[in-house]
Amino acid sequence: MYKIGFIGYRKHAKRLLNIVEENQDFFVSHIFHPTKNIDDKRITNNLEDLYECDGIVIASPNNTHFKYLKEIIQNSDCIIYCEKPPVTTSEGIKYLEELTPENKERIFFGFNLRYSKFDDILKKFSNSDELGKIIQINIVGSQGLAFKESYISDWRSDGSQNLHNVIENNSIHWIDLLIFNFGKVLKTNYYPRLVSGNGTSYDTNSINLLFENGMVASIFNSYATPLLENIVIIGTNGFMLIKDQKVEIFSPRDTFDENGFFSKPRIKQEIQFDFQSNGSDSLKKAMFYFLQNLKNSKKFDIDYFDRCVYTNKLILEIERDEN
């Protein structure tokens, strides 16, 4: 069996840990926390205990990723699963860019929407007969997390550690997926704000992105509204609505009424889609990919690494140039 060490043990780290434990070829031998002692015989406050693991998962607060990445790269031969964002500083970006190819091949970053059903939909319908060329994507994903009592004491709400809370924990996934499918970004607008009044980090943001192929995306994410999830994809020959557990594809553009005026196209295709499953299933697929690479002694693609670093670098530039 392959030994996996974890840095982090609650919430998202727990979800990742549960996925690992579902696979009989792997077991979690150590769980690291720098100070806490929880009721689990695997817990350790000594990071060196993880160095002999076959793989290490970094699922700690965002601003600690860089520190742990450096220590593990320098002291262990394991492969590494690091949650997004990889780093939160320009110093961290420089370090990642200057890593040797051998070290880049050891690292997998958890941009799990690359493994999602929504990614499959984008690939299938980009430049399709149904949609034509995609020219606009609007993404809305929000909920009321910032009004939960537990949020106030969570590291995500602490502006001194995690000011750009939503873009680094939520929007970054969508931005990365769009980069993965549409290429580099030429221009951005970023409007973060603290709406709930709870904590000191931003709980809401709106982002506009212009891609090098001319496509424009608008992303709204918030922890301070009722639950709302929908996506609109507009192409030159049709459009797609994703909401209420389904995908509806309207096409073609040249649809007319009895007077010869343009009318709304009819639904040409309908697909079942669940936002929660889109996230949880893609998380499992991403972790499964990491574990299979470990089991098969296969390194990770350097191009994958470089595109993750590009996404991370763009996020930091967006934050720095905050409007």
Side-chain angles (χ1 to χ4, degrees):
M1 294 181 72
Y2 298 91
K3 294 190 298 182
I4 306 295
F6 263 78
I7 301 175
Y9 69 96
R10 297 173 64 240
K11 298 183 179 179
H12 189 69
K14 178 61 174 173
R15 287 191 285 271
L16 293 172
L17 193 150
N18 289 342
I19 294 169
V20 173
E21 291 185 324
E22 290 174 4
N23 194 311
Q24 295 181 350
D25 293 326
F26 305 88
F27 76 99
V28 177
S29 60
H30 295 89
I31 301 172
F32 170 79
H33 191 281
T35 58
K36 291 183 179 179
N37 286 299
I38 62 173
D39 186 19
D40 190 315
K41 64 182 180 180
R42 299 169 296 180
I43 195 71
T44 178
N45 302 130
N46 183 7
L47 186 62
E48 293 181 8
D49 291 340
L50 279 64
Y51 292 165
E52 296 302 316
C53 291
D54 301 298
I56 294 177
V57 177
I58 302 174
S60 52
N62 296 349
N63 65 335
T64 66
H65 293 177
F66 178 33
K67 174 181 68 175
Y68 292 132
L69 273 170
K70 285 180 65 176
E71 293 187 32
I72 295 166
I73 290 169
Q74 292 169 4
N75 296 290
S76 174
D77 295 324
C78 72
I79 67 170
I80 303 165
Y81 182 115
C82 180
E83 260 304 325
K84 79 322 159 200
V87 296
T88 57
T89 64
S90 297
E91 177 192 1
I93 292 292
K94 186 174 186 293
Y95 175 82
L96 293 177
E97 291 178 333
E98 294 178 352
L99 283 175
T100 64
E102 291 77 17
N103 279 323
K104 290 181 178 181
E105 290 175 336
R106 296 170 54 196
I107 303 170
F108 178 85
F109 295 115
F111 289 104
N112 56 278
L113 284 187
R114 296 185 184 190
Y115 300 85
S116 66
K117 184 174 182 178
F118 183 60
D119 179 62
D120 295 337
I121 289 171
L122 280 180
K123 286 181 167 54
K124 179 178 179 180
F125 290 100
S126 291
N127 296 309
S128 64
D129 290 340
E130 293 88 348
L131 295 188
K133 180 182 177 181
I134 294 175
I135 61 171
Q136 177 78 33
I137 297 179
N138 301 330
I139 298 169
V140 174
S142 61
Q143 55 165 302
L145 177 66
F147 292 101
K148 295 184 70 173
E149 186 175 343
S150 59
Y151 177 81
I152 306 300
S153 59
D154 191 87
W155 63 268
R156 289 171 179 81
S157 69
D158 184 353
S160 66
Q161 298 185 64
N162 190 49
L163 178 62
H164 298 272
N165 178 11
V166 180
I167 192 172
E168 291 185 1
N169 293 300
N170 192 331
S171 305
I172 189 172
H173 279 297
W174 297 108
I175 293 170
D176 176 75
L177 182 61
L178 295 175
I179 291 170
F180 195 58
N181 282 275
F182 298 102
K184 292 185 176 181
V185 174
L186 299 181
K187 293 182 180 180
T188 66
N189 296 109
Y190 173 51
Y191 304 97
R193 53 250 197 227
L194 174 56
V195 173
S196 68
N198 295 327
T200 54
S201 66
Y202 299 130
D203 58 25
T204 301
N205 62 227
S206 303
I207 306 164
N208 296 316
L209 308 166
L210 170 63
F211 288 81
E212 60 183 357
N213 74 340
M215 199 275 289
V216 173
S218 174
I219 302 171
F220 171 79
N221 291 126
S222 178
Y223 295 150
T225 76
L227 179 67
L228 179 62
E229 297 172 310
N230 64 67
I231 299 173
V232 179
I233 301 176
I234 304 170
T236 54
N237 194 48
F239 63 92
M240 177 185 297
L241 301 180
I242 305 179
K243 64 175 184 176
D244 300 331
Q245 312 299 312
K246 61 186 176 182
V247 178
E248 294 177 328
I249 299 166
F250 298 79
S251 184
R253 174 196 62 237
D254 293 339
T255 301
F256 304 97
D257 64 16
E258 64 275 11
N259 298 313
F261 296 114
F262 279 100
S263 63
K264 180 180 177 180
R266 294 181 178 178
I267 297 175
K268 190 166 186 177
Q269 188 174 349
E270 189 171 304
I271 305 167
Q272 294 301 305
F273 184 90
D274 179 75
F275 278 92
Q276 185 173 353
S277 297
N278 183 63
S280 59
D281 291 349
S282 65
L283 189 65
K284 288 184 178 181
K285 289 179 181 178
M287 178 55 76
F288 181 75
Y289 177 77
F290 172 79
L291 296 175
Q292 288 302 112
N293 274 38
L294 171 56
K295 184 177 179 180
N296 298 326
S297 300
K298 185 179 178 182
K299 300 298 184 181
F300 299 109
D301 187 354
I302 290 180
D303 180 62
Y304 178 97
F305 178 95
D306 289 339
R307 283 201 273 181
C308 291
V309 174
Y310 172 81
T311 296
N312 195 166
K313 190 174 183 178
L314 176 67
I315 294 295
L316 294 183
E317 291 173 353
I318 289 172
E319 293 173 358
R320 184 194 64 210
D321 297 335
E322 174 190 338
N323 292 279

